[in-house]
Every structure is written in C-alpha cells, then in structure tokens.
Amino acid sequence: MARCDIFCTVVDNLGDIGVCWRLARQLAEEYGFRVRLWVDDLVSLSCLCPGASVDATSQQIGAVEVRRWDAEFPLVDVADVVIEAFACDPPATYIAEMARRDVPPVWINLEYLSAEDWVEGCHLLPSTGSGTRLTKYFFFPGFTPQTGGLIREHGLTDARKAFDAVARAEFLRRLGIQSGKNELLVSLFCYRNLSLPGLLGHWSSSETPIRVLTLAGLPTEQVGQWLGGSLSPGAEVRRGSLTVNALPFIPQEDFDRMLWSCDLNFVRGEDSFVRAQLARQPFVWQIYTQTEQTHLVKLEAFLARFLKGFPQANSVRRFWDAWNKELDVVPAWREFAAVLPEVRSRCEEWANLLDRVPDLANNLARFVERTMGSACSRGSTDASGECR
Ligand code: TRH
C-alpha cells in the first residue's frame, strides 16, 4: 500500500483545506493509499469535519491520519507520494529526507483550478530546480481530458441522481427549513459583495417568494447587517417576499446535499464552485479576487467553456459579470431569473460532459503508478519494497 503525505496550509477561508480533505479521503478510501494529511489549522478542518479534534497532534479520521503541521516539524519517514497543495512548501527537513531516499518519492504540486487554455500545456510539467535530484510535477486540475480533471468521488453522480424530492424534504427538515412549494430556494456562499444589498432589496419585493439559506461566515454576516443586526445560526427572518435562514457550519458532506436541494446556488472560490457544477443545478460563481484583475480572465475562460453554444449565454454572462464586478445586479438578475429553466438544463448537460472526463484522484493515482514504475525500473528497490 503506497503511503501518501499531503501538505496543506490554510491561507485564508476554507478552500485549501476543503480541497485537501476531499482528496485525502478519496485517495485513502477509493485508491487504497495510506494517507497522512498535514494541516496547519485544525480549526478550519473541524468546521468541515465536526469529528476532528482542534488540537490533537495526530488523529485518525476515517481512513485518513491527520497530523498537526507545527513550525517544529518532527522526524518522520517520508512517504512514497508527496502532495503539496497550492505550492505550500513542505518543511525543509522533510525535503532533505526525500532527497536521501534511494528511490525519491513522487512529488506533486497540486495547483489551483483554472479553465484557461494554457493549463493543458503545463499539466504534469516537471521541475528540477531545487538543487537536489528531486523532481516536482505540477498537477493542474481542469475541465478537459488533457488536464488533471476535477475531484469527483466514485458514486457521486449516482448519489446525486438518487437524491429525490423525499430525500430533499428530509434533508431540509433536518436543517430546520420548511420550504414552501412555490418558493425559489437559493443558497448564498459568497465573499463580501457590494451587489448583495441591492439584490436582497429586490428579492424582498419580488413576485416569487424567495428563501435564502446563508452559509456561515461572510454571507451570514453581510445579510445580518442588511437586516439591521446580526443573524445567529438557525435564525429565520422575513422581509416581504424574502425569507432568510442562517445556516450553522455544515459538514462538507451536507454541503453537497445543500447544493443539491436548492434551485440556485451562489458559490465562490474553488471547491464550492466545483461542487455546484456537480450538483447539476443553476449556480453563480464569485471568483476569488486576484491582483491586476487576473481573476476576471479566469472567470471569462470558464464562462467561454460553460456557455459554449448556449442560446441564453448573454443572460448568464451579464449577471455573473455584474456580480463579480460588484455592480447594480438587479437589471441583470431579472434577465437571469427569466431563463433559469434553460440554465438548469444547461447545467445538467455540463455535468454530463464533466462526468466523461476522468476525475482528479483517478488521474493522480495513474500518474503515481506510472512514475513509481519508471523510477523503480531505473533505480533499485529497497528492503521495505518501496516499489511494487
Ligand atoms: O472558502 P473559499 O473562499 O476558499 C478560497 C478558494 O479556494 C480560493 O481559490 C483560495 O485561494 C482561497 O480560499 C484561499 O471557498 P471554497 O473553495 O468554495 O471552499 C469552501 C469550502 O468550505 C468547501 O469545501 C465547502 C466548505 N464548507 C462546508 O463544508 N460547510 C460550510 O458550512 C461552509 C460555509 C463551507
């Protein structure tokens, strides 16, 4: 059984650990890797995984061993596969140990997701600049077979399709939400957004009743301020046609069910953005802002793929654009809301296309197998039988 160390630093928000936790579980549960996840912020992990201890140096959570990544790094055996998430730099002492092995581990830098074309050309490029005989490979997630793909667990699509009206009602009831038949059920997971107050105001006088589930953190804070106070988890507040339900932090598995349950999902960052696509429901993405507006290029690259050949593309593009540029979104919302049924069909088609691209853990496991195989045929196997 190959051993795999995943290194994760939580820069801000929950995306880094969100991606690493998902990947760690899948590699362990579906591909039989003995996974150790090193993370420098256990509090963030415990938001997604309520069973996690916030201070244990070492803990076993399901099939994954979680290790607290402290400044002083312990002396440990290096793994056969080392994944550093988002160029987070494993500790120098650990890298030195990697270089000492007869057959060096397969070292992967898991990059951020982008729909841009250049990703295909950079996926799996090796880098050997560290002054050691180690090679690091750049692994790019993406939307095409020439990239590393997206994290999509085995059985996810079937589970999603089996999630019917009864399962939905039961799930919402468990969250304490009683959604009326004619309501538009919307989830809100965004960064602070100047467009939001105007949109909430518009929704409060909408003809269609709208129920908004605000996710814990920034969305609940901003909506609470708009309501003139603060919202506690579990609170339900009504303003005209708009009902707001403030959700507590929900475990990552429930996050998926929440997306499956809503008619429209506002998502952000990377992980929720991917999960919204796999949820097969209409969604709106607020991209993580980067300097020099590079995020707008990434946003457009995604829209170009997602909306290719879609007759109502402009209605989607105008709303996403206004939302990301934090403009007055109300005119664009009217247009977008009018084409929601068509957008729903497009999302279904898009998810079907994604289902045909091999998933990220699968691509990663196959790459590791190939690379370990060729390393073994070049080098020697040691007493522990590193190469099988
Ligand atoms: O939290 P994010 O904004 O993370 C971002 C992005 O990943 C961005 O690319 C990165 O550079 C930046 O962090 C540092 O959004 P994201 O990626 O959607 O991650 C949120 C995770 O939190 C996702 O796994 C879903 C999970 N989540 C829950 O499981 N339950 C909850 O209640 C909430 C609020 C979030």
Side-chain angles (χ1 to χ4, degrees), residues 57-121:
T57 328
S58 168
Q59 55 189 309
Q60 188 71 32
I61 309 180
V64 178
E65 182 187 350
V66 175
R67 299 288 295 262
R68 198 177 68 204
W69 182 359
D70 295 322
E72 198 158 323
F73 199 76
L75 200 63
V76 291
D77 281 347
V78 298
D80 309 300
V81 182
V82 178
I83 301 175
E84 64 169 289
F86 316 118
C88 71
D89 285 333
T93 49
Y94 186 92
I95 295 176
E97 281 301 313
M98 284 163 68
R100 268 195 278 277
R101 273 189 41 160
D102 287 345
V103 179
V106 183
W107 185 5
I108 288 165
N109 178 28
L110 177 65
E111 287 286 348
Y112 285 112
L113 171 66
S114 172
E116 290 161 287
D117 290 339
W118 59 262
V119 165
E120 292 184 347

Side-chain angles (χ1 to χ4, degrees), residues 144-267:
T144 65
Q146 290 73 34
T147 67
L150 301 174
I151 297 181
R152 191 184 65 239
E153 299 84 354
H154 183 77
L156 180 78
T157 303
D158 288 345
R160 165 67 187 99
K161 288 182 178 169
F163 190 79
D164 57 13
V166 177
R168 176 181 185 264
E170 167 58 24
F171 174 71
L172 291 173
R173 197 191 50 73
R174 192 153 61 74
L175 286 181
I177 291 153
Q178 279 199 311
S179 182
K181 251 201 174 136
N182 303 319
E183 277 176 352
L184 185 74
L185 188 60
V186 176
S187 77
L188 185 68
F189 186 48
C190 56
Y191 303 113
R192 264 186 192 284
N193 191 316
L194 294 173
S195 305
L196 185 57
L199 187 59
L200 293 169
H202 176 72
W203 283 348
S204 66
S205 56
S206 145
E207 267 173 40
T208 316
I210 299 187
R211 181 179 295 268
V212 176
L213 312 184
T214 64
L215 274 294
L218 294 176
T220 296
E221 272 170 40
Q222 198 184 353
V223 174
Q225 281 160 7
W226 179 78
L227 288 166
S230 63
L231 272 174
S232 341
E236 179 174 301
V237 180
R238 189 164 294 178
R239 287 284 183 282
S241 313
L242 172 68
T243 309
V244 173
N245 288 98
L247 297 181
F249 261 111
I250 50 175
Q252 209 180 37
E253 284 169 3
D254 280 348
F255 193 87
D256 276 330
R257 291 190 193 92
M258 191 267 318
L259 296 172
W260 301 350
S261 300
C262 290
D263 303 304
L264 172 64
N265 294 303
F266 284 74
V267 286

Side-chain angles (χ1 to χ4, degrees), residues 11-16 18-19 22 47-48 112 189 191 215-217 248-253 255 268-273 288:
V11 179
D12 59 2
N13 304 316
L14 295 164
D16 302 306
V19 168
R22 224 180 257 297
C47 290
L48 314 184
Y112 285 112
F189 186 48
Y191 303 113
L215 274 294
F249 261 111
I250 50 175
Q252 209 180 37
E253 284 169 3
F255 193 87
R268 71 185 202 193
E270 179 161 328
D271 191 56
S272 59
F273 165 55
Y288 187 78

